[in-house]
Each structure stands twice: as C-alpha cells, then as structure tokens.
C-alpha cells in the first residue's frame, strides 16, 4: 500500500507517523507540513518518502537543505501541495488544520485514493461536494475524528435506515464548570489546557468553546446523512465513550477507548481489517465510573449556532467555519474575549443572511471558496468594531 500524509507535522500527522514508522510494508509517497521543516525532513527520511512539501514558499530553501543528499524530492507552496495530492497513492491522511485542508483532499479523491479524513472542516464547508466526488471516483472517505470513527464502527453490519439517533460525546473542555462571568475572562493559556486529549492549538481552543463539537455535529450530518434532529451531543468528562448509535429497538451501541487518536487513525489505515494498535487498553474497574451531562447552551452557544447552520444548509457551513477561524485568530491575538468568539460567528453568519449565496446549494468548490473569503472579510470587519 502507498500512503501520503497532508499535515504530517501536526498532532494528527505525528500520530499517523507513529503508526507508519511501525509498518515497513507501507510505502510513503508524499509528506507535507508547514514551517516546521526540520521535523518534516526527519519524518521524510525516517519513512523514506518520495516527496516532502512545505506549504510555504519561503521555507523551500530550509527544507531543501535539510533533505540534501537524501534523494527525496522537495517542493513548496500551495500549488505544490495540490500537485502532491495528485501523486498516485492508495491512502491519504487529510490532517491539515482549517479550510486549507479542503483542496488536497478533494484532489486525492479524484485519483480514487481512500481519504482518511481528520480535516473536519472539509465536510463542514463542502460536505455534499466531497461525498459526490468520492462517489464519482469510487473512492472512499473514512472518518478520522474519534466520534465519527466511533459511529462508523458502531454501524458495521447494521442497517443505517434503522438508526434512530446518534450521540457524540464532548469532554466539556477546561471550562466545563465555569460560570458565564468567569468565562468572559478566560485566557488563551487557560483555553490551551485540554483535560483529556493532546491536540493542536486550534482544535484545543475549539474544544474549550465547544466550537469543535459544533463542527462535529455538522460533520456527522454531512458524512452519515442523518437529520439534524437525530444528532445529539452529550458532555462526558472522561472521554472514554466516543459516540453511541441508537437503533429503533432502543438499543444503544457505544464505542469506548482510551483518548488516543492512533485508534481512529489506525482503524482507517487498516480498514476493513482490525490490526493490533499501540493504544492503552482500558481498565474499567480502575476508571470506576463514567458520567454524562447535558451541554449548557447559555454558556456555550456554539452548539445552537451549529443547529442554525444545519437548518440553513447551502454555504452556511463554509461561512460558519470561516467566521470561526477568524474568531479564533482574533482570540489568540487578544483582540476579542473568549465569549466574543461565539458572538462574532453569530454576527457574521447573520450579516451574510441577506447576501446572495449563503443558502444556495453547494455545487462547486469555487463557490465554497468565495463564501469562505466573503465570511472572513465580513468577520474581520466585525472584529474591528468589537475590539
Ligand atoms: P495541528 O495544528 O497540530 O497540525 C496542522 C498541520 O497542518 C501541520 O502539519 C501544519 O504544518 C499544517 N498546516 C497548518 N496550516 C496549513 C496551511 N494553511 N496549509 C498547509 N498546511 C498547513 O492540527 P491537528 O490538531 O493535528 O488537527 C488537524 C486536523 O485534524 C484539524 O482539522 C482538526 O480539527 C482535526 N482533528 C484533530 C484531532 C486531534 O486530536 N488533534 C482530533 C480530531 C480531528
Ligand atoms: Mg472529535
């Protein structure tokens, strides 16, 4: 089998690398990263990749130097990233963060490769297009979000038309018990501490604000095709149960596992087989108890916004995600407070309601990009008025 990894130097990328390094039977075609060229070069040498690509033109010389004498091809920039996704391969890990991950995944599907999809933004912004593209090229998309991999696994051998509901869990993040007043003063450093998962900076903050779960509700709808009313999110602070699927006879099939993304990645890598994976085995007696609680929409409005976006359909997902990315940047830059993020996203989507295109069906990648850019500039205007 041949594989390529997009976003190899990130949190998901490193977990993927950890599985690939144990598999000498797998050929690595392309690895891509951002500014961390030393790590990208190390990975490329260790996996004997054919090609290493940095997303940034100005990092080209450093990557070239780091790979001198290795025989590994080097490239840089957005075009090179796209070209890398067109290189013949069988399995592609999509683990770039943000809307930038959309185009490479799309091209990977066009060559018929299996797309292991960690980049949830692809489904949130262009779900119908991505699913169509997979169908057209007889390519498969395998979910690599822990909740979605869990749902996928709970559905093996089942008749999806007999599914009543799907429940995805959320840890509740570091601010689960914080009051509204305290949340208003939450700092970046505080938002960066996730109780259970070790992830990239952006998704960690999205977990604290519940925007990650908001994206995941939309992701569930787009990937599995369930109606919004069938999809629920529940707080489960231990992050042991990742998702549950409820059938019409009342049975709930739950997926449990240690909070380690190598499980979902490994499942997608070996699917439909199950291979041995280096993940911790659960000691249930030691864990003792699992608890669940309803999310509080007052303190965490992101889930309500996701429901509005699901009702709007069309390009609302692209607008929502773009506004969320701008909100995150503004919070990281100290321009807006923690709760300003949800306020900004809501104001951006509302302000776009009267513009042409928000609820038009998604039929081409270009219109998704246009909406993404429109929402980003609108959100940036609103940030200036907020700060
Ligand atoms: P990360 O920030 O740790 O890594 C992101 C990777 O993408 C890095 O290799 C970086 O160099 C690259 N990158 C960043 N911006 C880029 C751009 N504009 N163009 C090209 N490359 C770029 O992120 P992560 O936590 O690994 O998350 C990756 C994706 O997986 C996200 O969509 C996230 O929502 C999803 N995901 C992550 C986890 C997790 O446990 N980390 C779990 C589920 C889903
Ligand atoms: Mg998840």
């Amino acid at each position: 089998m041949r594989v390529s990894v997009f976003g190899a130097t990130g949190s998901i990328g490193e977990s993927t690398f950890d599985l690939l390094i144990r598999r000498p039977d797998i050929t690595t075609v392309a690895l891509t990263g951002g500014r961390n060229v030393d790590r990208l070069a190390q990975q490329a040498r260790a996996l004997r990749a054919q090609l290493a690509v940095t997303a940034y033109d100005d990092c080209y010389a450093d990557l070239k130097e780091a790979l001198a004498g290795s025989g590994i091809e080097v490239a840089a920039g957005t075009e090179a990233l796209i070209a890398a996704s067109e290189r013949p391969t069988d399995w592609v890990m999509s683990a770039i963060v943000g809307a930038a991950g959309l185009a490479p995944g799309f091209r990977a599907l066009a060559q018929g490769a299996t797309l292991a999809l960690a980049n949830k933004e692809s489904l949130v912004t262009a779900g119908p297009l991505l699913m169509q593209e997979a169908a057209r090229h007889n390519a498969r998309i395998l979910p690599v979000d822990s909740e979605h991999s869990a749902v996928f696994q709970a559905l093996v051998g089942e008749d999806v038309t007999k599914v009543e509901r799907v429940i995805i869990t959320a840890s509740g993040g570091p601010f689960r018990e914080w009051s509204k007043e305290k949340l208003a003063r939450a700092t970046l450093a505080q938002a960066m501490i996730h109780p259970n998962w070790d992830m990239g900076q952006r998704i960690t903050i999205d977990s604290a604000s519940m925007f990650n779960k908001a994206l995941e509700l939309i992701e569930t709808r787009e990937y599995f095709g369930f109606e919004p009313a069938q999809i629920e999110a529940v707080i489960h602070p231990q992050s042991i149960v990742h998702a549950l699927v409820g059938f019409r006879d009342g049975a709930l099939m739950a997926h449990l596992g240690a909070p380690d993304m190598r499980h979902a990645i490994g499942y997608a890598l070996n699917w439909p087989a199950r291979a041995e994976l280096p993940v911790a085995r659960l000691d249930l007696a030691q864990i003792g108890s699992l608890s669940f609680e309803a999310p509080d929409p007052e303190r965490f409005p992101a889930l309500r916004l996701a429901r509005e976006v699901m009702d709007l359909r069309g390009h609302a997902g692209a607008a929502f995600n773009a506004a969320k990315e701008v909100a995150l940047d503004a919070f990281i830059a100290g321009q807006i407070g923690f709760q300003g993020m949800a306020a900004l996203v809501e104001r951006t989507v509302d302000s776009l309601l009267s513009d042409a295109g928000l609820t038009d069906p998604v039929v081409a990648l270009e219109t998704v990009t246009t909406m993404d850019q429109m929402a980003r500039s609108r959100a940036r205007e609103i940030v200036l008025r907020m700060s």
Side-chain angles (χ1 to χ4, degrees):
M1 186 167 80
R2 297 164 301 178
V3 307
S4 291
V5 183
F6 288 78
T9 53
S11 163
I12 292 286
E14 285 288 1
S15 292
T16 307
F17 172 82
D18 181 75
L19 294 181
L20 292 177
I21 200 76
R22 300 162 198 259
R23 291 285 299 271
D25 57 311
I26 294 178
T27 302
T28 302
V29 176
L31 296 180
T32 86
R35 300 205 170 275
N36 193 354
V37 292
D38 290 338
R39 181 58 190 151
L40 181 61
Q42 266 174 11
Q43 290 182 334
R45 283 180 189 270
L47 291 174
R48 298 172 193 280
Q50 294 167 11
L51 168 70
V53 183
T54 161
Y56 305 102
D57 291 309
D58 56 317
C59 293
Y60 177 78
D62 288 344
L63 184 60
K64 185 91 189 153
E65 193 188 317
L67 284 171
S70 67
I72 297 168
E73 278 176 72
V74 173
T78 313
E79 303 276 300
L81 216 61
I82 299 295
S85 59
E86 288 167 347
R87 278 230 174 176
T89 188
D90 304 301
W91 188 92
V92 171
M93 167 53 73
S94 166
I96 288 175
V97 63
L102 179 59
F106 220 81
R107 300 300 174 97
L109 288 174
Q111 60 150 305
T114 293
L115 184 64
L117 191 62
N119 180 270
K120 60 193 81 182
E121 296 89 344
S122 293
L123 281 168
V124 171
T125 59
L129 269 189
L130 206 71
M131 299 309 282
Q132 269 167 34
E133 189 73 357
R136 182 170 355 167
H137 300 284
N138 209 7
R140 198 165 261 285
I141 303 176
L142 296 173
V144 182
D145 212 341
S146 55
E147 300 76 3
H148 305 76
S149 174
V151 172
F152 188 77
Q153 294 181 51
L155 285 171
V156 172
E158 300 286 355
D159 175 355
V160 283
T161 65
K162 305 300 186 292
V163 171
E164 219 169 46
R165 60 180 178 148
V166 168
I167 305 169
I168 60 174
T169 63
S171 69
F175 304 146
R176 181 169 60 90
E177 293 175 311
W178 285 34
S179 68
K180 238 180 147 168
E181 296 67 38
K182 207 173 161 196
L183 276 178
R185 297 189 305 272
T187 66
L188 176 61
Q190 288 165 331
M192 279 301 300
I193 304 162
H194 196 283
N196 307 327
W197 295 93
D198 177 12
M199 308 183 287
Q201 182 193 42
R202 302 186 72 85
I203 184 174
T204 302
I205 302 166
D206 281 351
S207 296
S209 64
M210 301 279 294
F211 265 111
N212 181 48
K213 215 47 56 180
L215 294 176
E216 290 181 0
L217 288 177
I218 305 172
E219 185 186 7
T220 306
R221 192 265 197 87
E222 297 297 341
Y223 185 80
F224 297 101
F226 298 123
E227 289 304 317
Q230 293 177 285
I231 309 166
E232 303 164 35
V234 70
I235 305 281
H236 167 47
Q238 297 84 16
S239 297
I240 297 294
V241 177
H242 303 305
L244 307 96
V245 178
F247 294 90
R248 69 172 180 188
D249 59 358
L252 270 180
M253 300 297 286
H255 177 283
L256 284 73
D260 182 336
M261 286 308 294
R262 290 177 303 176
H263 180 86
I265 298 165
Y267 187 75
L269 184 63
N270 296 295
W271 182 89
R274 281 193 187 271
E276 183 153 341
L277 294 175
V279 300
R281 273 42 176 177
L282 293 178
D283 181 340
L284 290 175
Q286 199 201 355
I287 293 165
S289 60
L290 300 175
S291 60
F292 301 90
E293 59 195 65
D296 177 0
E298 269 289 301
R299 291 181 301 138
F300 300 99
L303 297 183
R304 169 179 59 79
L305 298 178
R307 298 221 173 259
E308 289 171 17
V309 165
M310 285 195 279
D311 289 342
L312 288 169
R313 301 226 66 168
H315 292 75
F320 178 72
N321 179 67
K324 197 266 325 168
E325 290 190 23
V326 172
L328 190 53
D329 287 334
F331 174 66
I332 293 171
Q335 291 173 292
I336 61 174
F338 184 76
Q339 282 168 316
M341 289 192 283
L344 173 58
V345 171
E346 183 160 25
R347 282 171 65 178
T348 304
V349 175
D350 281 355
S351 88
L352 288 166
L353 272 175
S354 51
D355 289 285
L358 189 71
T359 56
D360 290 354
V362 173
V363 291
L365 213 51
E366 291 71 34
T367 60
V368 174
T369 310
T370 305
M371 179 54 69
D372 176 277
Q373 284 162 0
M374 199 151 95
R376 278 174 208 269
S377 58
R378 188 67 55 88
R380 289 194 193 104
E381 284 164 30
I382 300 174
V383 169
L384 292 179
R385 275 181 260 140
M386 284 170 77
S387 54

